[in-house]
Amino acid sequence: MSAEVQTLLGPFGAAQARKEAQDAQCAICTRMIPSSGEANIVVTRSDDPAEGLQVYFTHPTCAPSTVTTLATGSPRNPAGDDMRMTALPAPAHGRRLPILVAELACPVFVAPNEHAELTGVLSPYLQEHGFGLASDTTTPPPPAAEGWAAVLAEDPAGAQAEEIGVLSIADAQGTDFFIGTIHTPPTWRRTALERGTVALYVGPARLDPTDPDTAAQCRQLQHAALGGHLLAATVPLLDYAAL
Ligand SMILES: [Zn+2]
């Protein structure tokens, strides 16, 4: 971490950034940064101090650890808003909901000003929309703001229709939160559509959407929740074919 970045983040923010960089994805090449490897921490700030700082992570070979200033109105997130979505079955016990987990392809953190605590770039938006901190994935999350909905459609190509679907999630204003293909575990689609609601977790859980070992992925999710990394809400799930 460059001295300039270290000074801007302060000792607490710098320690937090070092921790978040472990197993994060590089904002330049999108490959994983191994927890045993080195990461560079890059900070961007706008000309407008009210917009605060954005913090992201790269391999040392992909970008230097620097503080860059972006003019107001220019794109602020170099990694874009790409997300990956993992579907996991409802936990085995109790009246639990099928699970969706949304992760930014490259985690970006924000701080309101220098020497402030870093939070996930989506956190303020999600908290305004009814999402709460998920400290335990075995209890159902609070409902999202009215109007949020997830819609599941069959894979248009028709191949592997049970395991590949197209998912869109829109917020209360009708803005797309996510739209893309999703790999669903066996029977997930039918079970989730029958239930009509899902627990949507958002945060760096570091899951693999195609890993057939969903029990291991659920443990990984619980680990991220215990670490305070996830926000969650319950969202209605609709079948596109029934709309
Ligand atoms: Zn890289």
Side-chain angles (χ1 to χ4, degrees):
M1 191 183 317
S2 73
E4 191 188 15
V5 166
Q6 183 119 17
T7 304
L8 202 58
L9 295 180
F12 182 73
Q16 215 188 334
R18 276 198 195 90
K19 186 163 167 280
E20 297 292 353
Q22 310 285 305
D23 297 314
Q25 275 173 290
C26 173
I28 304 297
C29 74
T30 74
R31 290 198 308 272
M32 295 294 279
I33 299 167
S35 55
S36 56
E38 288 190 11
N40 272 351
I41 295 161
V42 183
V43 176
T44 63
R45 60 175 166 186
S46 154
D47 287 341
D48 178 359
E51 292 191 20
L53 309 176
Q54 294 218 354
V55 179
Y56 58 98
F57 312 109
T58 70
H59 295 106
T61 48
C62 288
S65 176
T66 53
V67 177
T68 59
T69 304
L70 293 175
T72 305
S74 33
R76 281 174 295 149
N77 178 356
D81 298 328
D82 285 352
M83 276 190 212
R84 65 174 184 276
M85 187 70 70
T86 304
L88 294 173
H93 304 288
R95 291 177 63 248
R96 313 271 162 64
L97 299 173
I99 289 170
L100 290 172
V101 187
E103 300 181 63
L104 281 177
C106 301
V108 178
F109 290 82
V110 290
N113 45 52
E114 296 179 20
H115 291 216
E117 186 182 358
L118 305 182
T119 56
V121 69
L122 293 172
S123 299
Y125 160 79
L126 292 169
Q127 284 170 324
E128 278 170 26
H129 286 250
F131 285 66
L133 188 67
S135 54
D136 182 353
T137 56
T138 62
T139 53
E146 194 165 341
W148 274 69
V151 178
L152 190 59
E154 284 185 17
D155 172 28
Q160 297 178 288
E162 174 62 23
E163 277 79 33
I164 305 284
V166 177
L167 179 74
S168 63
I169 301 176
D171 71 14
Q173 280 72 46
T175 306
D176 282 331
F177 172 76
F178 173 84
I179 185 159
T181 55
I182 180 170
H183 184 274
T184 55
T187 74
W188 188 94
R189 177 195 181 83
R190 184 163 43 81
T191 309
L193 287 173
E194 277 172 10
R195 183 65 72 94
T197 47
V198 290
L200 174 61
Y201 294 87
V202 184
R206 285 134 199 186
L207 303 184
D208 177 355
T210 61
D211 187 342
D213 187 353
T214 55
Q217 296 286 298
C218 285
R219 286 194 296 275
Q220 176 90 356
L221 180 69
Q222 175 72 347
H223 181 73
L226 293 173
H229 297 297
L230 304 179
L231 293 172
T234 299
V235 174
L237 179 71
L238 310 170
D239 185 352
Y240 180 77
L243 291 179

